[in-house]
Amino acid sequence: MNATVRDWIAKAEGDLTVARREMGARKSPNFDVVCYLSQQGVEKWMKAVLIGAREVPPKTHDLVVLSDLLARRFPTWSWPLEELRLVSRAAVVYRYPGESAARKDAREILRLALRMRAALKALPGSLRRNA
């Protein structure tokens, strides 16, 4: 795995670590931030896998677009569109005034993000040692 891929993974893991920490906060947890960082962590994991496969990921935050690229490169990759859309939407909707994430929303988004991360890590040949 090359330094660029390692950097993307480190950023992804940082986002997910803070999302988990915030989810577990006892005093004034920010569930909006949990949703945002969960999406960011998955997005960065997807881009790390694409870079590891010598693909240049587009400058997008849309998990559906990134998932389509992954499926072209890794035939075993698939993820339900409704879940990809839910996580992508949560990162945007809760960042601005008008809507706020509830605990159950944040828990679901984080759970999906962690499941996606596990599936990305498990893709055969996705993170080549010498990429």
Side-chain angles (χ1 to χ4, degrees), residues 67 70-71 74-80 84 119 123:
S67 183
L70 285 164
F74 301 96
T76 60
W77 171 259
S78 68
W79 204 269
L84 293 165
L123 280 174

Side-chain angles (χ1 to χ4, degrees), residues 41-108:
V42 172
E43 175 188 331
K44 290 169 187 166
W45 258 105
M46 288 178 154
K47 289 179 178 181
V49 170
L50 288 167
I51 292 165
R54 297 191 172 110
E55 299 278 339
V56 177
K59 292 185 179 194
T60 184
H61 301 294
D62 189 336
L63 300 184
V64 173
V65 170
L66 295 171
S67 183
D68 287 345
L69 291 172
L70 285 164
R72 289 183 202 148
R73 185 72 171 147
F74 301 96
T76 60
W77 171 259
S78 68
W79 204 269
L81 284 176
E82 62 275 2
E83 291 181 0
L84 293 165
R85 288 181 181 130
L86 178 66
V87 175
S88 288
R89 183 181 177 280
V92 176
V93 170
Y94 299 131
R95 276 193 345 217
Y96 301 102
E99 289 193 50
S100 295
R103 178 182 299 277
K104 71 178 184 75
D105 301 320
R107 185 181 307 121
E108 176 67 6

Side-chain angles (χ1 to χ4, degrees), residues 15-35 37-38 102-108 110-111 114:
D15 289 342
L16 293 170
T17 296
V18 174
R20 284 191 305 261
R21 184 183 312 138
E22 191 61 26
M23 189 71 218
R26 291 178 184 223
K27 186 175 181 182
S28 304
N30 187 328
F31 299 127
D32 297 349
V33 169
V34 171
C35 292
L37 290 175
S38 295
R103 178 182 299 277
K104 71 178 184 75
D105 301 320
R107 185 181 307 121
E108 176 67 6
L110 179 58
R111 184 186 67 79
L114 294 174

